[in-house]
Amino acid sequence: MNAEQINLFPPSQNTPNTKIEEFVASIELLTQEIQELYCLDHIPWVIGYSGGKDSTATLQLIWNAIAQLPPEKRHKTIHVITTDTLVENPVVSAWVRNSIKIIKMAAKKQELPFNPHLLQPELTETFWVGLIGKGYPAPTGKFRWCTDRLKIQPSNRFIRDVIRKSGEAILVLGIRKAESKSRAIRMEQYEKKRVRAHLSPNMNLPNSLVYSPIEDWDNDEVWLYLMQWENPWGYSNKDLFTMYKGASADNECPLVVDTSTPTCGSSRFGCWVCTLVSQDKSLSAMIQNDQEKEWLLPLLDLRRELDVDESRHRRDFRRRSGIVQLYERNLEGEVSVEPIPGPFTKESREYWLRRLLTVQQQVRKNAPPDMRDITLIQPEELSEIRRIWLEERHEFDDSLPRIYQEVTGEPFEDPRHGGGNAMLGVDEWQILEELSEGDPMYLELMTRLLDTERQYKTMSRRTGIYDTLERCFETSSRSQSEAIANAHYQRDLKQAAKEGKVEDIKKIVNGEKPEPPQQLNWASLKFS
C-alpha cells in the first residue's frame, strides 16, 4: 500500500479503521488466491481490459500478485485484451490506447508475462460500414445489430484462437454483483455451476472458464483500491478518477456517503454513437463539466440526429434483399399492415457520409493539439463502403470520392483499389437519370441491369447471368405502390389458404381483389 496516496476513507462513523484493515487483509488473501490459481496449471489467462475502473482494478490485482512471484514461476502468458469499437468516446479511446502502450513497455521492463492486444471489429462489421455502407438504421432495442459485431465477436475470436492453440483458457473479468441486480442474479447462477473454486463456466465459449476476483466488491472498494494502491504499470489512477468525475452528470464522485447518493460508477463510457440509451450521459457531462471539451459537441449533435423514433422517410420500402415484407403496426389504436422499413436509401447513405465527414472536420479544427488527428471513420472503412456501393448496390456513379473531396478539400486515396469501373461512371448515371424522368425504380432497374452485365463481362465464365438479371426484375421492376400492392395480394392469398377460406381464395383469384400488374422480366423485355 502506498502511503503517499491520498486518503479517501478518513476515520469516521461511516468508515471506521476496522473496515480499512479488513479490506487490506482481503487484498492479501486475494493476492494469495491469484498466485495459487496461476501456478496451478499451464492454462493461459486472458484479461478483459477496457480502461475503466473495474477492469483497471482487476488487472492491477493480477499484476501485483504475479509480480510477487519469483521469475521461474511466471511460467505462462497473460493476455490483456482491449476492444476498440472504432466509435468509442474519443477521450476514453485515447486514454486506453495510451495505456496499452504503457502496459506493454512496463511488462517488458519488469519482466512480467503480460501481453497486451488491441482488438478491433472486422472491417466488414464496423459501425459505419453497417450504417453508411449497408444502410442499417441506428441500433434499437429490437434491432441491436452493433453489440455482437463491435464488442463480442472481436474478443471471442481472440479467445477461440487461444483455446485452439492451448486447448483451454481462463478469462479474467472485472464483473461485479454490485453493478446491477441482473448481473448479480446471472453471476449467482453461474456460481452454482462452478467446476473449481472461483472459476465459473463460460456458456458462450467451450473449454474456457471465467475468473472474477472482484465480484463481491462495491464501488467504494474499487475506488479505495485504485487510489490507495499504486498503479504498477505507471499509469495514473488519479487521472482515471478525474475522468470518471468529469463524466458524472453532477460533476461529483462521492465515495463515502449514504446509499441514496449515486457514485461515479454509474457513469458508463461507451460508444459515442450509441442509440440504445436515451442519451450519452458521460459525453454530455464531460462537455458540461469541462469547457476544454466543448470541441466534442458536434459528436453529440450527430448522435441526436441518429437517434430518432421515425426514420421511414430515409429508408427503402423493401428489405435489403429487395423483398417487400409486411407487418402489423398499431397506429392510433388501429392495426395497420405496412411494409417493414428497409435500409437507408442511396440519398440517405450519402447524407450520413457527408454529415460524418463534416463532424470529423469540425472536431479536428477545434480539438486540442494532441487530439487534432482524431479519426471518426477509418480510410479502410471508407474503402469498404465504396466497395459495397459499387459492387453490391450497383451505384456506379461512385459518389464517395466526390463527397469526400467536397467536404475535406482533399482527394480520396483508396487504400485498397484505384477507382470505379472504366465502363460505367457518373456520366452514364446522369444519362440514365434523365431517361428515367424521375422514376426511381426505373433508374434502379436500368443501373442494376447494366452493372450486372458489366460485372459478368469481366468474368471468365458467365454462368448464372440470366438468373442474376431475373433477380433484378424481381426486386426493381415494380413501382413502390405496385410492389406493396403485390405484397398485400400475396399475403391475403396465403392467409386465406392457411385458414381454409375457400370463398376468399375464389374472390382473390377471380379478380374481385385484382392482382397487381405483373412485373417485367428478362424474357418479356427481350422478346416483346
Side-chain angles (χ1 to χ4, degrees), residues 345-358:
T345 62
K346 181 179 190 294
E347 292 74 17
S348 299
R349 287 182 275 113
E350 290 176 348
Y351 170 81
W352 288 125
L353 174 63
R354 192 179 297 275
R355 278 286 288 125
L356 177 62
L357 292 173
T358 300

Side-chain angles (χ1 to χ4, degrees), residues 10 134 157 228 238 261 307 342 471 485:
K134 300 174 184 177
R157 275 195 301 271
Q228 297 295 323
K238 290 182 182 179
T261 306
D307 188 17
R471 284 194 292 272

